Amino acid sequence: MSGALIKNTCMLLLLFGGVVHTSFGQEAVLSLEQIQAEVQKSYPLARGKELFQRHNDLSLENIRANYLPQLYANGKLSYQSDVTSSPLSGANSFGAPKDQYSLNLDIEQLIYNGGRTKSQLKLNEISTEIDIQNVEVKMFALRERVNDAYFSILLLRQSKSILKEKKKTVLASLHQVSSAVKSGMMAVANQKVLESEVLLINQQMEELDAAEKSAFESLAELMNRASEFDIQNNSSEVDNVKQLIKYDDLNERPEYKLYSDQRLLLDEKIELEKKNRMPIITAFGQFGYGQPGYNQLSDEFDSYYMLGARLSWNIFDWKASRRNQRKFNIQKEIIDTQESSFKKNQLVDLKKELNNISKFEILISKDDAIVELKEEVVRSSKSQLENGIITSSDYLEELNKEVQAKLNREYHQIQLSQSIAECKRILGKTEIR
């Protein structure tokens, strides 16, 4: 192999190794929508949907077995003190033996039951849908927890960013004040005030770091993720949210399907009550061997069989079925009231967030002007501090006002994004673009 070829091969290997290292070493950066999707997929409760479906499949197989013939084996051995016998005596007498033996195979086949089995199949399927939808509702409730943790991290990061900026400003002032103190132009107290402020900022940064770590751990637990990740701030446009809000179409939340399934279940229960009033017709057969057989006056072992059909019909149930149907209709009305109440609360929450959006838009429009004025005041105060006109405490008071104004601006921006995300959650939307 030539030297040039070896060199080119090594360069390719190094380049490939660098790419692989970068791709494996780089942590994932996730948007809010990606985090929500991962939580919905990875949270342990999500597996409940699969388990309910498997449970339903087994239950349906058991119910379908009603269509198949039922086989029963039974036997009997007995001795009784008296039996039916002939009044004659001697060789012409006859009668059943006092010790009796029988071994039977009974077969029963359903012919007609008024559609009960079909209703039971449908009831089981709807019940499973309700169980699965209950899981969906609980999973959807996790979206609020994700939103809280996600926007808490953004708020904490903005707070840290502004505190870092403040610390840099205080350290610069501390450097100048320290020089003035050494030259005897300023009192030592001015230096001590700034030094204590630096320590306070460091303490606040540590508190924010701990809070951010806790919020990240909460998200990691919800996502069932062990690897490290980061988040990105991608907020939707306010106009996009407002255009999607239609007060007459709020039914995308999983709770509405749950209410619908519950009503379907009650409808099917009413149908089953009606079908329970229908007769049941079955065919049956018995095959056996014993002493005696069907001839009770014989003391010989014999084989025997019987074939036939059976009708069962509860003609009068004292109106119990009608009362049950009325009960189920009342339960449907209760579900209607629950759905109406849910929609009312949904509208209240939605209007609250829309008002918050309008409020934060107004506040944000004023924030820049407030920050600009505070920065001018701080610049003037810094000049006065350097010239010994004011103390470090006076300067820090104005600096803290500037920092608070900047924090307010960032808070309002993030709170606006959170209100938009909450509107999406309340509407049942997974994405608004």
Side-chain angles (χ1 to χ4, degrees):
M1 184 180 293
S2 67
L5 183 58
I6 293 174
K7 183 178 179 181
N8 290 338
T9 303
C10 290
M11 289 181 65
L12 285 172
L13 288 173
L14 286 172
L15 179 61
F16 178 75
V19 171
V20 171
H21 176 75
T22 301
S23 63
F24 278 96
Q26 188 176 13
E27 63 183 11
V29 180
L30 306 176
S31 66
L32 176 58
E33 286 79 10
Q34 289 172 320
I35 294 171
Q36 293 283 17
E38 192 164 330
V39 170
Q40 296 296 310
K41 179 181 178 182
S42 304
Y43 196 73
L45 191 61
R47 187 167 176 263
K49 293 184 285 186
E50 176 192 348
L51 294 175
F52 279 125
Q53 190 58 57
R54 286 164 57 188
H55 180 274
N56 175 62
D57 293 341
L58 293 173
S59 298
L60 292 179
E61 287 299 317
N62 284 339
I63 296 172
R64 291 190 186 103
N66 292 336
Y67 291 120
L68 302 176
Q70 308 298 311
L71 303 177
Y72 306 94
N74 57 80
K76 186 181 73 171
L77 184 154
S78 68
Y79 180 86
Q80 55 197 69
S81 61
D82 202 2
V83 293
T84 303
S85 62
S86 168
L88 301 176
S89 60
N92 294 325
S93 65
F94 58 88
K98 291 184 178 181
D99 56 324
Q100 298 186 4
Y101 312 88
S102 65
L103 184 62
N104 301 321
L105 176 64
D106 293 309
I107 303 175
E108 188 172 300
Q109 173 65 58
L110 177 67
I111 297 176
Y112 176 77
N113 67 353
R116 288 175 175 84
T117 302
K118 186 176 180 181
S119 277
Q120 288 169 351
L121 288 169
K122 194 168 181 180
L123 270 176
N124 200 85
E125 289 179 342
I126 298 173
S127 295
T128 301
E129 281 295 319
I130 289 174
D131 290 333
I132 292 174
Q133 199 59 29
N134 266 316
V135 173
E136 291 284 359
V137 170
K138 291 176 182 177
M139 292 292 295
F140 191 86
L142 295 173
R143 293 181 178 275
E144 186 174 10
R145 292 174 60 186
V146 171
N147 283 351
D148 289 341
Y150 175 87
F151 287 104
S152 292
I153 293 171
L154 293 183
L155 285 171
L156 291 165
R157 285 186 168 180
Q158 291 298 333
S159 299
K160 286 197 300 180
S161 176
I162 292 171
L163 279 178
K164 286 178 183 177
E165 182 183 338
K166 176 185 177 183
K167 182 179 178 180
K168 188 185 298 183
T169 303
V170 172
L171 286 173
S173 298
L174 177 60
H175 178 72
Q176 293 176 342
V177 169
S178 296
S179 299
V181 169
K182 287 179 182 179
S183 63
M185 297 177 62
M186 274 192 186
V188 180
N190 288 303
Q191 180 178 337
K192 298 297 181 184
V193 168
L194 294 175
E195 288 174 348
S196 64
E197 187 67 19
V198 172
L199 293 175
L200 178 61
I201 292 171
N202 289 336
Q203 184 185 55
Q204 292 171 338
M205 294 281 287
E206 289 171 357
E207 290 179 356
L208 293 174
D209 284 337
E212 182 180 350
K213 180 183 177 183
S214 176
F216 262 109
E217 288 175 350
S218 296
L219 279 182
E221 285 295 328
L222 290 170
M223 289 189 289
N224 198 27
R225 173 188 278 265
S227 60
E228 292 188 0
F229 64 98
D230 200 0
I231 65 172
Q232 65 183 41
N233 183 10
N234 55 330
S235 57
S236 303
E237 293 294 331
V238 175
D239 291 341
N240 291 348
V241 176
K242 290 181 176 179
Q243 289 172 5
L244 283 176
I245 293 175
K246 299 175 183 177
Y247 291 107
D248 58 344
D249 184 21
L250 302 175
N251 299 334
E252 291 193 35
R253 287 282 292 267
E255 288 86 349
Y256 288 107
K257 187 176 187 308
L258 178 61
Y259 294 133
S260 177
D261 288 344
Q262 288 172 338
R263 281 191 289 264
L264 285 175
L265 182 69
L266 291 169
D267 286 336
E268 196 57 40
K269 284 184 176 181
I270 291 172
E271 287 301 311
L272 182 58
E273 282 294 328
K274 294 176 182 178
K275 291 173 181 178
N276 283 337
R277 301 290 300 120
M278 303 299 289
I280 300 175
I281 301 174
T282 56
F284 68 90
Q286 184 180 66
F287 304 88
Y289 182 78
Q291 177 196 14
Y294 287 154
N295 182 2
Q296 293 293 313
L297 297 181
S298 171
D299 61 355
E300 299 291 334
F301 279 89
D302 193 13
S303 59
Y304 48 87
Y305 71 92
M306 180 189 297
L307 300 174
R310 185 180 294 115
L311 171 68
S312 175
W313 191 4
N314 183 5
I315 299 175
F316 189 65
D317 68 347
W318 304 99
K319 298 184 179 180
S321 179
R322 292 185 182 179
R323 286 192 292 272
N324 285 335
Q325 292 178 49
R326 287 201 296 268
K327 282 168 54 180
F328 294 141
N329 280 317
I330 291 172
Q331 287 180 309
K332 285 174 63 179
E333 291 179 18
I334 292 172
I335 292 172
D336 290 340
T337 61
Q338 291 173 342
E339 183 177 19
S340 297
S341 177
F342 177 80
K343 179 167 282 191
K344 180 68 68 176
N345 289 332
Q346 188 183 16
L347 284 170
V348 169
D349 292 341
L350 187 58
K351 288 178 180 178
K352 173 187 172 185
E353 294 304 332
L354 287 174
N355 288 332
N356 284 338
I357 289 173
S358 298
K359 177 183 73 175
F360 292 132
E361 285 183 301
I362 294 171
L363 293 174
I364 289 170
S365 67
K366 307 294 183 184
D367 280 330
D368 287 337
I370 294 172
V371 169
E372 186 176 347
L373 290 172
K374 293 297 181 184
E375 286 175 342
E376 290 180 8
V377 172
V378 168
R379 283 194 292 269
S380 176
S381 297
K382 183 178 181 182
S383 176
Q384 290 175 336
L385 174 64
E386 292 169 355
N387 293 313
I389 299 174
I390 62 173
T391 64
S392 296
S393 297
D394 297 327
Y395 167 69
L396 284 178
E397 182 178 352
E398 297 302 330
L399 180 60
N400 285 331
K401 290 179 181 178
E402 179 198 0
V403 169
Q404 188 59 54
K406 290 181 178 179
L407 284 173
N408 287 342
R409 179 174 62 185
E410 298 303 327
Y411 286 173
H412 295 154
Q413 289 282 0
I414 294 173
Q415 286 171 323
L416 174 62
S417 296
Q418 185 167 8
S419 289
I420 293 172
E422 280 299 295
C423 278
K424 292 163 59 177
R425 183 189 65 81
I426 293 166
L427 288 166
K429 309 283 185 182
T430 57
E431 195 168 336
I432 292 180
R433 291 294 181 207

